[in-house]
Amino acid sequence: MKKLLLLFLSSILLISCNQKQEKIIDNTQFSAEEKIDSTNIKTLFNTALTEGKSYEWLRDLTQNIGGRLSGSPEAEKAVIWGEKLMKEVGLDSVWLQPVMVPHWVRGEKEVATYTINDIQKDVPICALGFSIATPKTGILAEVIEVKSLKEAEEIGEKLRGKIIFFNGAFDNTIINTFQAYGGCAGQRYAGAMVCGKFGAKAVIVRSMTNSIDDYPHTGTMSYGDLPKEQYIPTAAISSRAAEILSTDLKKDPTLKFYFKQNCETLADAPSFNVVGEIKGAKTPENIMVVGGHLDSWDLGEGAHDDGAGIVQSLEVAYLFKKNNIKLKNTLRVVFFMNEENGIRGALKYAELAKLNKEKHIAGLESDEGGHTPRGFSIDANTVNTKLLQSWKKLLTPYGLHDLDKGSSGADISPLKAENVTLVGYKPDSQRYFDYHHSSTDTFDKVNKRELELGSASMASIIYLMDKYLYNNTPVKP
Amino acid sequence: MKKLLLLFLSSILLISCNQKQEKIIDNTQFSAEEKIDSTNIKTLFNTALTEGKSYEWLRDLTQNIGGRLSGSPEAEKAVIWGEKLMKEVGLDSVWLQPVMVPHWVRGEKEVATYTINDIQKDVPICALGFSIATPKTGILAEVIEVKSLKEAEEIGEKLRGKIIFFNGAFDNTIINTFQAYGGCAGQRYAGAMVCGKFGAKAVIVRSMTNSIDDYPHTGTMSYGDLPKEQYIPTAAISSRAAEILSTDLKKDPTLKFYFKQNCETLADAPSFNVVGEIKGAKTPENIMVVGGHLDSWDLGEGAHDDGAGIVQSLEVAYLFKKNNIKLKNTLRVVFFMNEENGIRGALKYAELAKLNKEKHIAGLESDEGGHTPRGFSIDANTVNTKLLQSWKKLLTPYGLHDLDKGSSGADISPLKAENVTLVGYKPDSQRYFDYHHSSTDTFDKVNKRELELGSASMASIIYLMDKYLYNNTPVKP
């Protein structure tokens, strides 16, 4: 009995202790206006966490359409899906912006292999976006391993006839994984450009990920100004295969690597940005954009990249409508097409905004996955940057601590101007590159609460920008 | 060509922008001493992220031993595993602390079902820890649904002969999920205690989770002071089954629920805490404890709860050894036994510490999962709380923003005293209760980087406490 009582008491202790751990939103430190803001932000979060729609929207997009590379039938289905969904949410108006997009197709599944000590090793491989195909019979050649574009440039003419293997790994000591990506992505983007001019036969690249696994991660590449006859095929191999190949090359530097891919760049294809808006109640001419990109790579389901950003952006509008919170300015939701290989949708959107003399005051993009919220990255003038940072105490109860200056996102960046405040939503980055551009970027990797917390975080910063931003813009339009 | 150039430029832009996003550790704001600390903390993180062992240790524990409930053969294997591993890491001394633990066994898999409109519905169910069995033929009875212990108390005598269904759901609007847990766990713990005294036949409880899914989540319960003849069987059903049953009860309040379980509390069993330490270089009599609990529930693999905490605690010691950072005080790693259903290991540890007149100055526990770091919860006197909070600028570059007062952890809490600084490691809580105490708490749910970031976070606060804590203790021992 005594021990049961003890157990009971210790459990009760645990429960009450855990209750104490919750960060109470301490309104006493707030001004009257901040109390209103705090209440409205709490309402946005409560609605997202109890009546959120984003997760089911994402399930629909990823399970019923799946990967949706620009120009593909799936991308066109996604356009129709997006338009229909925006109408269902009840935006005041919904329309499509036509845009021509690149149309690259992967073709049949790639194969790669090599033999060492009479053991044949099959290598998980995928073509990079915009790469040309290998000859039908594939390419077989000796391999030169390098760690960077600079190292390849220095080797120069000796690259001729070889397959160049870029094995620059993520620097795992960098806490923000996007910076580690930034340090490596150049070899994927420009590896073939650099090696093609020296007559290399092909380029293979270690996948861009923190993780050691068996999934090749694709991504866009470019031949730059190379004449067409210097174009060479390029592909990514899994990080584990890269480690093994590197080891095997030390044992046998003359081993020959074989791969075959059948990809092709077709003529540009017609596509669309999907746009919807809620008219502003007071100054409808002022536009705040919230968006992500509708296209994705073809290997996975485009769940974190960027299905999450799409459904969160629309959920921002849903949260305001659901709570009958009227914004002063127009809120425009944009599902941008073709971020992955061309940002044509983003450029078209900015072009039309200019043509139509639209007055954008703010942009918010979600394109770093659907993980737990960490904050926002602010690309704005000094006054507005400080203004946004002054909202910190309203945001930290939701785990939104990071409010540093930085870039916003590829799709809204063409809107950059002195008086336009651009913001990138920053979820936790630790798992993002485990999935990025690979077959593992699937719906089951997205957590419902984390996704909804992101929607509410985004709605909160939109709410605050709507209320405070315009009057604080230093040079009034 | 122009468009390719544009693409190239936009991509380069993206890469360089992403690089800007990394929060640079700005040493200029640091004192000379803080610069040393900042460098040492960076070293601890770098080592964890490039040479960390915790993930492979966790793989071994979860894949080769698995779930390890107190008193089970698996728990005893885990003791041997822990002792061997601590020796391999090269701690100065490693020993076992004998402790008698409760020994509850689940028996054969539980079954539950009911029929409505001639459709039979099978219900995912699991017995709660310490529950008695149903009769061999099971229990069949009408169901009364309640949302809280209070509601059950109020119904009182009318509970007689019925199965009481506690359907209090997590409040999903609470950001820290541990508080939502705190708001519900009482019905699991005391449901049978309250209803048994009114002659109810059994208690079933909605699983403690934010998620709507098909997995029953177990956990400990107690009959308190009830006479044995009032003990009734109690079990958890999955959250989705709870939602469906609730709907069905509205359609047919007389439906009869059937379940059968075969669990049993055996005589207490001998077990052990596993303890190892690195002797302090200057004041070895001062002890800092870092630990988690070695036991787990039987349904999953005890990966997040608390395999993660175990391997992180040992990795703290590994990180100091690997970097040859000598601590002034003794660092003691403890794998506590029986946190889940009795905290006997924790009580034994505190009892022996008192008996042996050991001087504990600090304790750190990791028992909230292996997710991405958010901060620490501080249970200390005012002076030391402020001291720990003054380290914020050293910790925020690693995502460690939360440094609030709060509880530390069940296993170190018996060490609480005026001059003992207790700290709970706080990873992100959003996904934790998706897995907690269920069959889904498995190795694949743990992310390597997130786990390692946790180890390094814990090592960092130990490093700082070792250096600064003792001299700032207001009442010197």
Side-chain angles (χ1 to χ4, degrees):
Chain A
M1 200 50 40
K2 192 176 151 203
K3 73 190 172 195
L4 282 176
L5 189 67
L6 182 66
L7 186 62
F8 175 67
L9 289 174
S10 60
S11 171
I12 292 299
L13 181 79
L14 249 178
I15 291 166
S16 61
C17 285
N18 280 327
Q19 284 175 322
K20 274 196 296 179
Q21 286 175 9
E22 171 75 0
K23 186 182 309 224
I24 303 301
I25 299 166
D26 177 12
N27 267 335
T28 56
Q29 57 171 323
F30 290 156
S31 69
E33 208 54 38
E34 284 169 341
K35 280 183 190 172
I36 294 170
D37 296 338
S38 169
T39 302
N40 281 327
I41 289 171
K42 180 70 179 147
T43 299
L44 293 168
F45 272 89
N46 286 357
T47 307
L49 289 166
T50 56
E51 301 175 87
K53 302 283 189 190
S54 53
Y55 190 68
E56 291 307 318
W57 293 340
L58 185 62
R59 185 197 302 274
D60 189 23
L61 175 66
T62 55
Q63 305 308 289
N64 296 325
I65 297 176
R68 45 202 180 276
L69 189 57
S70 290
S72 69
E74 292 80 11
E76 295 324 292
K77 274 186 210 165
V79 167
I80 295 164
W81 171 89
E83 186 185 19
K84 180 163 173 278
L85 192 60
M86 281 193 192
K87 286 179 178 167
E88 278 172 17
V89 170
L91 303 195
D92 295 336
S93 48
V94 177
W95 68 97
L96 301 181
Q97 287 181 337
V99 57
M100 294 301 290
V101 295
H103 189 191
W104 177 84
V105 292
R106 183 172 302 281
E108 71 193 41
K109 193 166 161 46
E110 305 86 343
V111 290
T113 187
Y114 63 91
T115 299
I116 181 164
N117 296 337
D118 294 330
I119 298 165
Q120 184 186 321
K121 298 192 178 180
D122 292 335
V123 176
I125 192 167
C126 68
L128 296 180
F130 291 130
S131 175
I132 60 168
T134 58
K136 291 271 180 240
T137 52
I139 283 175
L140 179 72
E142 285 184 5
V143 177
I144 294 179
E145 177 179 344
V146 295
K147 293 284 172 63
S148 67
L149 293 170
K150 186 164 168 285
E151 196 183 336
E153 287 273 10
E154 284 165 3
I155 294 172
E157 286 300 330
K158 288 185 182 162
L159 301 175
R160 184 166 305 278
K162 301 292 201 302
I163 292 174
I164 316 309
F165 165 35
F166 284 88
N167 194 24
F170 268 36
D171 180 350
N172 277 337
T173 68
I174 299 173
I175 303 301
N176 182 335
T177 62
F178 282 87
Q179 196 199 3
Y181 178 62
C184 286
Q187 45 183 341
R188 186 193 72 204
Y189 188 74
M193 196 193 304
V194 165
C195 301
K197 72 179 177 213
F198 294 117
K201 266 197 170 168
V203 161
I204 54 175
V205 186
R206 180 193 180 102
S207 284
M208 306 284 118
T209 175
N210 296 93
S211 159
I212 301 296
D213 60 38
D214 299 317
Y215 307 102
H217 296 234
T218 190
T220 199
M221 58 77 58
S222 168
Y223 294 110
D225 283 336
L226 281 191
K228 275 219 160 149
E229 61 273 17
Q230 291 183 358
Y231 283 19
I232 56 174
T234 178
I237 64 173
S238 77
S239 55
R240 199 191 317 274
E243 302 260 293
I244 294 169
L245 177 59
S246 180
T247 305
D248 286 343
L249 283 169
K250 286 179 188 70
K251 293 180 199 156
D252 178 6
T254 68
L255 73 79
K256 288 189 172 171
F257 189 93
Y258 171 83
F259 78 109
K260 187 160 87 79
Q261 62 191 26
N262 197 31
C263 44
E264 195 178 357
T265 302
L266 307 175
D268 284 359
S271 190
F272 304 92
N273 293 326
V274 184
V275 188
E277 65 180 29
I278 301 175
K279 270 274 175 256
K282 290 195 180 164
T283 46
E285 69 279 13
N286 294 340
I287 298 166
M288 301 184 297
V289 167
V290 57
H293 62 87
L294 190 53
D295 64 306
S296 79
W297 283 101
D298 54 330
L299 295 176
E301 298 168 359
H304 276 293
D305 187 12
D306 184 27
I310 286 295
V311 298
Q312 287 174 325
S313 296
L314 184 56
E315 188 147 275
V316 170
Y318 164 79
L319 292 175
F320 289 115
K321 280 192 71 73
K322 187 83 185 169
N323 288 298
N324 205 24
I325 297 175
K326 304 284 185 205
L327 299 176
K328 286 193 309 193
N329 306 296
T330 291
L331 178 67
R332 188 177 286 175
V333 181
V334 185
F335 295 176
F336 293 95
M337 181 50 69
N338 185 230
E339 191 274 345
E340 290 296 1
N341 56 345
I343 64 164
R344 296 274 189 90
L347 297 172
K348 177 58 74 177
Y349 182 84
E351 180 195 320
L352 290 174
K354 197 172 171 186
L355 197 70
N356 298 328
K357 298 190 170 45
E358 290 177 348
K359 192 164 72 183
H360 283 77
I361 62 166
L364 169 62
E365 182 160 340
S366 169
D367 187 19
E368 297 197 3
H371 293 105
T372 196
R374 287 292 195 171
F376 300 98
S377 173
I378 307 167
D379 186 7
N381 62 44
T382 308
V383 173
N384 283 332
T385 300
K386 283 189 180 158
L387 175 69
L388 265 69
Q389 288 170 339
S390 76
W391 302 331
K392 190 162 185 167
K393 62 183 166 182
L394 291 164
L395 300 171
T396 51
Y398 305 96
L400 298 161
H401 295 271
D402 294 337
L403 291 169
D404 297 319
K405 275 187 85 76
S407 69
S408 56
D411 284 310
I412 59 171
S413 59
L415 297 171
K416 189 170 166 67
E418 172 61 17
N419 283 333
V420 182
T421 296
L422 299 178
V423 179
Y425 169 58
K426 307 286 286 182
D428 193 80
S429 76
Q430 299 310 323
R431 295 179 178 215
Y432 185 68
F433 289 96
D434 293 1
Y435 316 131
H436 182 250
H437 295 186
S438 85
S439 62
T440 65
D441 184 8
T442 49
F443 180 65
D444 58 301
K445 308 305 188 312
V446 179
N447 179 275
K448 184 171 183 285
R449 272 180 74 80
E450 292 181 358
L451 186 73
E452 291 166 348
L453 287 167
S455 304
S457 300
M458 291 165 64
S460 300
I461 200 100
I462 287 284
Y463 165 84
L464 291 167
M465 290 199 293
D466 180 70
K467 184 165 173 182
Y468 295 110
L469 194 61
Y470 179 72
N471 292 329
N472 288 278
T473 302
V475 186
K476 292 187 184 175
Chain B
M1 199 50 41
K2 194 177 149 202
K3 72 190 174 196
L4 281 175
L5 189 65
L6 182 66
L7 186 63
F8 175 68
L9 288 174
S10 60
S11 170
I12 292 298
L13 181 79
L14 250 179
I15 292 166
S16 60
C17 286
N18 280 327
Q19 282 175 323
K20 273 197 295 179
Q21 287 174 7
E22 171 75 2
K23 188 180 309 227
I24 302 303
I25 299 166
D26 177 13
N27 266 335
T28 56
Q29 57 170 323
F30 289 156
S31 69
E33 208 55 37
E34 284 170 341
K35 280 183 190 172
I36 295 169
D37 296 338
S38 170
T39 302
N40 281 328
I41 288 171
K42 180 70 180 145
T43 300
L44 292 168
F45 273 89
N46 287 357
T47 306
L49 290 167
T50 56
E51 301 175 87
K53 303 282 189 193
S54 52
Y55 190 68
E56 291 307 318
W57 293 340
L58 185 62
R59 185 198 302 276
D60 188 23
L61 176 65
T62 55
Q63 305 308 289
N64 296 325
I65 297 175
R68 45 200 179 277
L69 189 57
S70 291
S72 69
E74 292 79 11
E76 295 325 291
K77 275 185 209 163
V79 167
I80 295 163
W81 171 90
E83 186 184 22
K84 181 163 171 278
L85 192 60
M86 282 193 191
K87 286 179 177 166
E88 278 172 18
V89 170
L91 302 194
D92 295 338
S93 48
V94 177
W95 67 98
L96 300 181
Q97 287 181 338
V99 56
M100 294 301 288
V101 295
H103 188 191
W104 178 84
V105 292
R106 184 172 301 280
E108 71 193 41
K109 192 164 162 47
E110 305 85 343
V111 291
T113 188
Y114 64 92
T115 299
I116 180 165
N117 296 338
D118 295 331
I119 297 166
Q120 185 185 323
K121 299 192 178 182
D122 292 335
V123 176
I125 194 167
C126 67
L128 296 180
F130 291 130
S131 174
I132 60 168
T134 58
K136 290 271 179 241
T137 52
I139 283 176
L140 177 73
E142 285 184 7
V143 178
I144 294 179
E145 177 179 344
V146 294
K147 293 284 172 61
S148 66
L149 293 170
K150 187 164 167 284
E151 195 182 336
E153 288 272 10
E154 285 166 3
I155 294 172
E157 286 299 331
K158 288 184 182 165
L159 301 175
R160 184 167 305 277
K162 301 292 199 302
I163 292 175
I164 315 310
F165 166 36
F166 284 86
N167 194 23
F170 267 36
D171 180 350
N172 278 336
T173 68
I174 299 172
I175 303 302
N176 183 335
T177 62
F178 282 87
Q179 196 199 6
Y181 178 62
C184 286
Q187 45 182 340
R188 185 193 73 206
Y189 188 75
M193 197 192 304
V194 166
C195 300
K197 73 179 177 214
F198 294 116
K201 266 199 171 167
V203 161
I204 54 175
V205 186
R206 180 194 180 101
S207 283
M208 305 285 118
T209 175
N210 297 93
S211 160
I212 301 295
D213 61 37
D214 299 317
Y215 307 103
H217 296 233
T218 190
T220 199
M221 58 76 59
S222 168
Y223 295 110
D225 283 336
L226 281 190
K228 275 221 160 145
E229 61 274 18
Q230 291 183 356
Y231 283 18
I232 56 174
T234 178
I237 64 172
S238 76
S239 55
R240 199 191 317 276
E243 301 260 294
I244 294 170
L245 177 59
S246 181
T247 304
D248 286 342
L249 282 169
K250 286 178 189 71
K251 293 181 199 157
D252 178 6
T254 67
L255 73 78
K256 289 189 171 171
F257 189 93
Y258 171 82
F259 78 109
K260 187 161 87 80
Q261 61 190 26
N262 197 31
C263 44
E264 194 178 359
T265 302
L266 307 175
D268 284 358
S271 190
F272 304 92
N273 292 326
V274 184
V275 188
E277 64 179 30
I278 302 174
K279 271 273 174 255
K282 290 195 178 162
T283 47
E285 68 280 11
N286 294 341
I287 298 167
M288 301 183 298
V289 167
V290 57
H293 63 86
L294 190 52
D295 64 307
S296 80
W297 283 102
D298 54 330
L299 296 177
E301 298 168 358
H304 276 291
D305 186 14
D306 185 27
I310 286 297
V311 297
Q312 286 174 326
S313 296
L314 184 56
E315 189 147 275
V316 169
Y318 163 80
L319 292 175
F320 289 116
K321 281 194 69 75
K322 186 83 184 172
N323 288 298
N324 206 23
I325 297 175
K326 304 282 186 206
L327 298 175
K328 286 191 311 194
N329 306 298
T330 291
L331 178 67
R332 187 176 285 175
V333 182
V334 185
F335 294 176
F336 293 95
M337 182 51 69
N338 184 229
E339 190 275 344
E340 291 296 1
N341 55 346
I343 65 166
R344 298 275 188 89
L347 297 172
K348 177 59 73 177
Y349 182 86
E351 178 194 321
L352 290 174
K354 195 171 174 187
L355 198 71
N356 298 328
K357 297 190 170 49
E358 289 178 347
K359 191 165 71 186
H360 283 76
I361 61 166
L364 169 62
E365 181 160 342
S366 170
D367 186 19
E368 297 196 3
H371 293 105
T372 196
R374 287 291 194 170
F376 300 98
S377 173
I378 307 167
D379 185 8
N381 61 43
T382 308
V383 173
N384 284 332
T385 300
K386 284 190 180 157
L387 175 68
L388 265 67
Q389 288 171 339
S390 76
W391 302 330
K392 190 161 186 171
K393 63 183 166 183
L394 291 164
L395 300 171
T396 51
Y398 304 97
L400 298 160
H401 296 271
D402 294 336
L403 291 169
D404 296 320
K405 275 189 84 77
S407 70
S408 56
D411 284 311
I412 60 171
S413 60
L415 297 170
K416 189 169 166 66
E418 172 61 18
N419 283 331
V420 182
T421 296
L422 299 179
V423 180
Y425 168 58
K426 306 285 287 183
D428 193 81
S429 77
Q430 299 310 323
R431 297 180 178 215
Y432 186 67
F433 289 97
D434 293 0
Y435 315 131
H436 182 250
H437 296 185
S438 85
S439 62
T440 65
D441 184 9
T442 48
F443 180 64
D444 57 302
K445 306 306 188 311
V446 179
N447 179 274
K448 184 170 183 286
R449 273 180 73 80
E450 292 181 358
L451 186 73
E452 292 165 348
L453 287 167
S455 305
S457 300
M458 291 165 64
S460 299
I461 200 100
I462 287 284
Y463 165 85
L464 291 167
M465 290 199 293
D466 180 71
K467 185 165 171 182
Y468 296 110
L469 193 61
Y470 179 70
N471 292 328
N472 288 277
T473 301
V475 186
K476 293 187 183 176

